[in-house]
Amino acid sequence: MDLTLLRRLNQARRDRQAVIRVSDLATGADRLVFETDLSAEDPLAPELTAAFRSGKSGMIETADGSKHFLTVHVPPPRIIVIGAAHISQALAPMARIAGFDVTIIDPRTAFATEERFEGTPILPEWPEDVIPSKLTLDAYAALVAVTHDPKIDDWPIAAALNAGCFYVGALGSRKTHAKRVERLQANGISEARIGRIAAPIGLKIGAQSPAEIAVSILAQIIEALRLRPAYLAVSPETTGAAQ
Amino acid sequence: MSDGTDLSDKDVLGLAESWRAGGRGVAIATVVETWGSAPRPVGSHLAIDDTGHFEGSVSGGCVEGAVVSEAIDVIADGKPRLIEFGVADETAWRVGLSCGGRISVYVERLN
């Protein structure tokens, strides 16, 4: 490996970009493949796609019998929850057990207290005041909006769609969501992007209590992470096509 | 989560970069295959400099010594090597590792 390649690799990791180093162990030749640049033309496209999804490094053997090692670097997935609600109190510890970094944002300081969310970082501020200065939305982030209040939820939902977050979920009935869609459209968010919102939120498991709803949301987030397209396009007109 | 970036791994590659940038000879060892109950997962790194300093882990202590001495040769001649280790049951027992694992470690020079 040469130092230039290692510098690019380390920079990508600091920037929370998913990248694989492909090494031919026989010759020592290597290259970096960024998830955002992965082309169907790449001779190892299926293997690389699988590796980006699983996040696991490993040896692969190509048709000509040569062995390549894939060192897979994917950023730790995070969940940003808008709203310090009952659902969030159940979701935060469950999501942490499943291995996600969780952060709660809620400007309503009566809700956003540390006692209610032991062990989970809380930002008692408006989402637009902490994103992106304190938290970045990217392809390895999920956004869950549960305040029911458009003044709080709408901005981060739009920001998450524009940033290509792997999951964007919003609490609310079909009626509530229909109104939300109208507001997002009025703000110039494309149909394709709006279509990515999971609403009503959560997998259909008949969840009733806040904790059960949290289970359904977490399951839906895991589904979105593990079954996502290899490249979830972030550019304006391709987001829908990538689904 | 199993695919979460290993923080120690991040440090190792960052350290390797700064060692090399500072003019030291550096090799990077990577666990490329494991069989049985190997102590460190595939993709784990060890960075070694030309004076034998190392950071990271490929086995949790069992074979690091052998990897470091190979790495010093790799830094000298620039030829990558693939080394296979069987974790001897007795040794594994003594250092508290799971028994009977085997690992394959690729050692290359950072140029």
Side-chain angles (χ1 to χ4, degrees):
Chain A
M1 171 157 45
D2 68 45
L3 184 58
T4 317
L5 185 136
L6 181 59
R7 280 198 173 118
R8 285 175 61 218
L9 177 61
N10 284 337
Q11 187 61 48
R13 305 178 79 208
R14 283 191 291 273
D15 294 343
R16 284 180 58 83
Q17 285 182 282
V19 60
I20 294 177
R21 179 185 171 220
V22 184
S23 316
D24 182 332
L25 297 189
T27 65
D30 60 2
R31 64 187 170 109
L32 292 183
V33 180
F34 289 79
E35 186 173 24
T36 47
D37 296 338
L38 178 56
S39 144
E41 312 288 304
D42 193 297
L44 301 177
E47 290 86 353
L48 291 166
T49 301
F52 276 121
R53 280 188 187 160
S54 73
K56 291 204 165 78
S57 298
M59 195 82 85
I60 53 166
E61 207 168 316
T62 49
D64 62 3
S66 64
K67 277 187 160 186
H68 290 78
F69 185 70
L70 307 183
T71 316
V72 183
H73 303 277
V74 296
R78 60 162 60 133
I79 300 175
I80 297 169
V81 183
I82 308 298
H86 281 119
I87 292 172
S88 323
Q89 281 180 296
L91 178 61
M94 286 194 272
R96 289 210 316 271
I97 290 170
F100 292 90
D101 286 341
V102 183
T103 306
I104 315 249
I105 303 174
D106 196 328
R108 302 168 300 175
T109 48
F111 289 82
T113 65
E114 282 180 21
E115 295 99 64
R116 298 182 69 230
F117 290 92
E118 206 179 330
T120 304
I122 297 202
L123 300 169
E125 298 177 69
W126 287 91
E128 45 270 61
D129 292 338
V130 291
I131 297 169
S133 60
K134 290 186 185 165
L135 277 176
T136 318
L137 296 171
D138 59 34
Y140 283 86
L143 185 106
V144 176
V146 296
T147 72
H148 275 302
D149 183 344
K151 287 199 303 299
I152 304 173
D153 282 351
D154 278 9
W155 187 88
I157 289 171
L161 294 173
N162 289 335
C165 288
F166 75 87
Y167 175 87
V168 183
L171 190 69
S173 64
R174 287 180 198 285
K175 208 172 142 193
T176 308
H177 186 60
K179 286 185 193 155
R180 179 186 291 127
V181 168
E182 284 172 20
R183 290 193 305 273
L184 291 170
Q185 282 170 337
N187 281 327
I189 313 291
S190 71
E191 294 280 342
R193 287 188 178 184
I194 291 172
R196 291 195 52 233
I197 302 173
I201 200 168
L203 294 186
K204 281 182 187 160
I205 55 173
Q208 294 195 351
S209 67
E212 289 177 3
I213 295 168
V215 169
S216 75
I217 294 172
L218 184 58
Q220 195 171 43
I221 290 172
I222 293 169
E223 179 185 51
L225 177 70
R226 294 303 176 200
L227 303 182
R228 73 190 189 283
Y231 168 39
L232 191 58
V234 178
S235 57
E237 291 320 317
T238 50
T239 303
Q243 286 182 66
Chain B
M1 183 154 287
S2 61
D3 74 351
T5 305
D6 182 339
L7 291 178
S8 61
D9 177 37
K10 185 191 278 178
D11 291 339
V12 172
L13 293 180
L15 209 62
E17 179 187 326
S18 62
W19 283 354
R20 187 71 196 101
R24 297 196 220 175
V26 177
I28 294 173
T30 308
V31 177
V32 293
E33 280 184 292
T34 64
W35 299 266
S37 48
R40 294 282 291 142
V42 169
S44 302
H45 291 299
L46 184 73
I48 308 99
D49 79 2
D50 47 11
T51 63
H53 284 109
F54 64 92
E55 195 66 54
S57 161
V58 289
S59 76
C62 234
V63 302
E64 267 72 5
V67 172
V68 168
S69 53
E70 284 286 343
I72 289 179
D73 294 343
V74 169
I75 293 169
D77 68 18
K79 288 189 194 125
R81 291 161 173 72
L82 190 61
I83 329 162
E84 205 172 296
F85 295 99
V87 180
D89 285 5
E90 197 190 328
T91 313
W93 180 254
R94 240 187 302 128
V95 295
L97 298 174
S98 33
C99 299
R102 277 197 298 141
I103 59 172
S104 179
V105 178
Y106 185 70
V107 187
E108 63 191 309
R109 185 167 74 181
L110 180 57
N111 292 309

Coordinates of all heavy atoms in Angstrom, one line a residue, chain A residues 166-167 219-229:
Chain A
F166 N -30.2 6.8 4.9 CA -30.7 5.4 4.5 C -32.1 5.2 5.0 O -32.8 4.3 4.4 CB -29.7 4.3 4.9 CG -29.7 3.9 6.4 CD1 -30.7 3.0 6.8 CD2 -28.8 4.5 7.2 CE1 -30.7 2.6 8.2 CE2 -28.9 4.2 8.6 CZ -29.8 3.2 9.1
Y167 N -32.5 6.0 5.9 CA -33.9 5.8 6.4 C -34.4 7.1 6.9 O -33.7 7.9 7.6 CB -33.9 4.8 7.6 CG -35.3 4.6 8.3 CD1 -36.2 3.7 7.8 CD2 -35.6 5.4 9.4 CE1 -37.4 3.5 8.4 CE2 -36.9 5.2 10.0 CZ -37.7 4.3 9.5 OH -39.0 4.1 10.1
A219 N -36.9 -2.3 13.7 CA -36.9 -3.3 12.7 C -36.9 -2.7 11.3 O -36.2 -3.2 10.4 CB -38.1 -4.2 12.9
Q220 N -37.7 -1.7 11.1 CA -37.7 -1.0 9.8 C -36.4 -0.4 9.4 O -36.0 -0.4 8.3 CB -38.9 0.0 9.8 CG -39.3 0.4 8.4 CD -40.5 1.3 8.4 OE1 -40.7 2.2 9.3 NE2 -41.5 1.1 7.5
I221 N -35.8 0.2 10.4 CA -34.4 0.8 10.2 C -33.4 -0.2 9.8 O -32.6 -0.1 8.9 CB -34.0 1.6 11.5 CG1 -34.8 2.8 11.7 CG2 -32.5 1.9 11.4 CD1 -34.6 3.5 13.1
I222 N -33.4 -1.4 10.5 CA -32.5 -2.5 10.2 C -32.8 -3.0 8.8 O -31.8 -3.2 8.0 CB -32.6 -3.6 11.2 CG1 -32.1 -3.1 12.6 CG2 -31.8 -4.8 10.8 CD1 -32.4 -4.0 13.8
E223 N -34.0 -3.1 8.4 CA -34.4 -3.6 7.1 C -33.8 -2.6 6.1 O -33.2 -3.0 5.1 CB -35.9 -3.7 7.0 CG -36.4 -4.1 5.6 CD -37.9 -4.0 5.5 OE1 -38.5 -3.0 5.9 OE2 -38.5 -5.0 5.1
A224 N -34.0 -1.3 6.3 CA -33.5 -0.3 5.4 C -32.0 -0.3 5.2 O -31.4 -0.1 4.2 CB -34.0 1.1 5.8
L225 N -31.3 -0.6 6.4 CA -29.9 -0.6 6.3 C -29.3 -1.8 5.6 O -28.4 -1.7 4.8 CB -29.3 -0.6 7.8 CG -27.8 -0.7 7.9 CD1 -27.1 0.6 7.4 CD2 -27.4 -0.9 9.4
R226 N -29.9 -3.0 5.9 CA -29.3 -4.2 5.4 C -29.8 -4.5 4.0 O -29.1 -5.3 3.3 CB -29.7 -5.4 6.3 CG -29.1 -5.3 7.7 CD -27.6 -5.2 7.6 NE -27.0 -5.0 8.9 CZ -25.8 -4.6 9.0 NH1 -25.0 -4.2 8.0 NH2 -25.2 -4.4 10.2
L227 N -30.9 -4.0 3.6 CA -31.4 -4.3 2.2 C -31.4 -3.1 1.3 O -32.0 -3.0 0.3 CB -32.9 -4.8 2.3 CG -33.1 -6.0 3.2 CD1 -34.6 -6.5 3.1 CD2 -32.2 -7.2 2.7
R228 N -30.6 -2.1 1.7 CA -30.5 -0.9 0.9 C -29.8 -1.1 -0.4 O -29.0 -2.1 -0.5 CB -29.8 0.3 1.6 CG -28.3 0.1 1.7 CD -27.7 1.0 2.7 NE -26.2 1.0 2.6 CZ -25.5 0.1 3.2 NH1 -26.0 -0.9 3.8 NH2 -24.2 0.1 3.1
P229 N -30.1 -0.3 -1.4 CA -29.4 -0.4 -2.7 C -27.9 -0.2 -2.4 O -27.6 0.6 -1.5 CB -29.9 0.7 -3.6 CG -31.0 1.3 -2.8 CD -31.1 0.8 -1.5

